[in-house]
Amino acid sequence: MTILRLRIVFDDAMLGPGKAELLERIGKTGSIAAAGRDMGMSYKRAWMLVEEMNRAFREPLVISTRGGPGGGGAQLTESGARVLELYHDIVAKAENAAAARIGTLEAMLRPAQPGDISDRK
Amino acid sequence: MTILRLRIVFDDAMLGPGKAELLERIGKTGSIAAAGRDMGMSYKRAWMLVEEMNRAFREPLVISTRGGPGGGGAQLTESGARVLELYHDIVAKAENAAAARIGTLEAMLRPAQPGDISDRK
């Protein structure tokens, strides 16, 4: 199935599939470390991405408590949930608007041959 | 100005901003090497991307003559021009469909402060 991966490049910030997935997993797991781990990302990188997002927006997208008995926790703020929802809406709108042309491109592709080694990475 | 960078992920192939720009520059320069060079890409990588695209589609997107008095040349086929046009159309449709929501996201961004060091890479 064809999918669109979409990166929004603002003047001084970016939002793409990686940050969106990180936000989503933080919302589900309640932990930046666990969210990053699920994505095969170092703790340091997950924190860096969260800090980048928190700096980029007027209000933080993620609030966290470091350490403590439970090892600290994190959750999406209202702004975080809103940004994630907007990102998903943007992808859905884009896929919908482009669907006919994506179908035209698909029809131009060479059909997969049995035994082909996929180029997909 | 906010822009969308859009990667179309097919079952066994991908088309994104890099390949689209490479096709466009091959069409303009008549040379895979020159097109790659303009993008800061090695000759080998430019060739690899062209071969990947030519394999992925039923008809080649680029035809080339290697060597010869003029050092060889390359041009987009009709399919190549069509794929490039479709890619640009898809980006335009996606941007248009998502414009209102992108505006909402932009309004949530922290305004740039004088003296800020840009995070943009």
Side-chain angles (χ1 to χ4, degrees), chain B residues 9 15 20 22 25 28 44 46 49 52 67 76-77 81 83-84 86 88 92 111-112 117:
Chain B
V9 184
L15 182 64
L22 186 64
R25 287 180 186 271
K28 279 181 186 156
K44 191 180 162 188
L49 292 176
E52 207 175 294
L76 295 191
T77 62
V83 164
L84 182 58
L86 282 164
H88 286 154
I117 293 167

Coordinates of all heavy atoms in Angstrom, one line a residue, chain B residues 9 15 20 22 25 28 44 46 49 52 67 76-77 81 83-84 86 88 92 111-112 117:
Chain B
V9 N 5.8 6.6 -0.6 CA 6.4 5.3 -0.3 C 5.5 4.2 -0.9 O 4.4 3.9 -0.4 CB 6.6 5.0 1.2 CG1 7.3 3.7 1.5 CG2 7.3 6.2 1.8
L15 N 9.5 7.7 -4.0 CA 9.8 8.9 -4.7 C 9.7 10.1 -3.8 O 8.6 10.3 -3.2 CB 8.8 9.0 -5.9 CG 9.0 10.2 -6.8 CD1 10.3 10.2 -7.6 CD2 7.8 10.3 -7.9
A20 N 13.1 13.7 -7.2 CA 12.3 14.7 -8.1 C 13.3 15.8 -8.6 O 13.3 16.2 -9.8 CB 11.1 15.3 -7.4
L22 N 16.5 15.6 -8.8 CA 17.5 15.0 -9.7 C 16.9 14.9 -11.1 O 17.5 15.3 -12.1 CB 17.9 13.7 -9.2 CG 19.0 13.0 -10.0 CD1 20.3 13.8 -9.9 CD2 19.3 11.5 -9.4
R25 N 16.7 18.4 -12.7 CA 18.0 18.9 -13.1 C 18.6 18.1 -14.3 O 19.3 18.7 -15.1 CB 19.0 18.9 -11.9 CG 18.7 19.9 -10.9 CD 19.7 19.9 -9.7 NE 19.3 20.8 -8.7 CZ 19.7 22.1 -8.6 NH1 20.5 22.6 -9.5 NH2 19.3 22.8 -7.6
K28 N 17.1 19.6 -17.3 CA 17.6 21.0 -17.6 C 19.1 20.9 -18.1 O 19.4 21.7 -19.0 CB 17.6 21.9 -16.3 CG 16.2 22.5 -16.1 CD 16.1 23.4 -14.9 CE 14.7 23.8 -14.7 NZ 14.4 24.2 -13.3
K44 N 28.4 8.6 -8.6 CA 28.0 7.3 -8.3 C 26.6 7.3 -7.7 O 25.7 6.5 -8.1 CB 29.0 6.6 -7.4 CG 28.8 5.1 -7.2 CD 29.7 4.5 -6.3 CE 29.2 3.1 -5.8 NZ 30.1 2.6 -4.7
A46 N 24.3 9.7 -8.0 CA 23.3 10.1 -9.0 C 22.9 9.0 -9.9 O 21.8 8.8 -10.2 CB 23.9 11.3 -9.7
L49 N 20.7 6.4 -8.2 CA 19.3 6.9 -8.0 C 18.6 6.8 -9.3 O 17.4 6.4 -9.4 CB 19.2 8.3 -7.5 CG 19.7 8.5 -6.0 CD1 19.7 9.9 -5.6 CD2 18.8 7.7 -5.1
E52 N 17.8 3.1 -10.0 CA 16.7 2.7 -9.1 C 15.4 3.1 -9.7 O 14.4 2.4 -9.7 CB 16.9 3.4 -7.7 CG 16.4 2.7 -6.5 CD 16.8 3.4 -5.2 OE1 18.0 3.5 -4.9 OE2 15.9 4.0 -4.6
G67 N 29.9 8.2 -22.1 CA 31.1 8.5 -22.9 C 30.8 9.2 -24.2 O 29.9 9.9 -24.3
L76 N 15.4 13.2 -20.0 CA 14.2 12.5 -19.5 C 13.4 12.0 -20.6 O 13.3 12.6 -21.7 CB 13.3 13.6 -18.8 CG 13.8 14.3 -17.5 CD1 12.6 15.1 -16.9 CD2 14.3 13.3 -16.6
T77 N 12.8 10.8 -20.4 CA 11.9 10.2 -21.4 C 10.5 10.9 -21.1 O 10.3 11.6 -20.2 CB 11.7 8.7 -21.1 OG1 11.2 8.5 -19.8 CG2 13.1 8.0 -21.3
A81 N 9.3 12.7 -17.7 CA 8.7 14.0 -17.6 C 7.3 13.9 -16.9 O 6.9 14.8 -16.1 CB 8.5 14.6 -19.0
V83 N 6.3 11.5 -14.7 CA 6.4 11.2 -13.3 C 6.8 12.5 -12.5 O 6.2 12.8 -11.5 CB 7.5 10.1 -13.1 CG1 8.0 10.1 -11.6 CG2 7.0 8.8 -13.5
L84 N 7.7 13.3 -13.1 CA 8.1 14.6 -12.5 C 6.9 15.5 -12.4 O 6.6 16.1 -11.3 CB 9.2 15.2 -13.3 CG 9.8 16.5 -12.7 CD1 10.3 16.3 -11.3 CD2 10.9 17.1 -13.6
L86 N 3.7 14.6 -12.3 CA 2.8 14.1 -11.3 C 3.3 14.4 -9.9 O 2.5 14.7 -9.0 CB 2.6 12.6 -11.5 CG 1.7 12.1 -12.6 CD1 1.9 10.7 -13.0 CD2 0.2 12.4 -12.3
H88 N 5.1 16.9 -8.8 CA 4.9 18.3 -8.5 C 3.4 18.6 -8.3 O 3.0 19.3 -7.4 CB 5.4 19.2 -9.7 CG 6.9 19.3 -9.7 ND1 7.6 19.6 -10.9 CD2 7.8 19.2 -8.7 CE1 8.9 19.6 -10.6 NE2 9.0 19.4 -9.3
A92 N 1.6 20.0 -4.9 CA 0.7 21.2 -5.0 C -0.6 20.9 -4.4 O -1.2 21.7 -3.6 CB 0.6 21.7 -6.4
P111 N 7.2 32.9 18.1 CA 7.7 33.8 17.1 C 9.3 33.8 17.3 O 9.8 33.7 18.4 CB 7.1 35.2 17.5 CG 6.1 34.9 18.5 CD 6.3 33.5 19.1
A112 N 10.0 34.0 16.2 CA 11.4 34.0 16.2 C 11.9 35.2 17.0 O 11.3 36.3 16.9 CB 12.0 34.1 14.8
I117 N 19.4 31.6 17.4 CA 20.1 30.7 16.5 C 19.1 29.7 15.9 O 18.4 29.1 16.6 CB 21.3 30.0 17.2 CG1 22.3 31.0 17.6 CG2 21.9 29.0 16.2 CD1 23.3 30.5 18.6

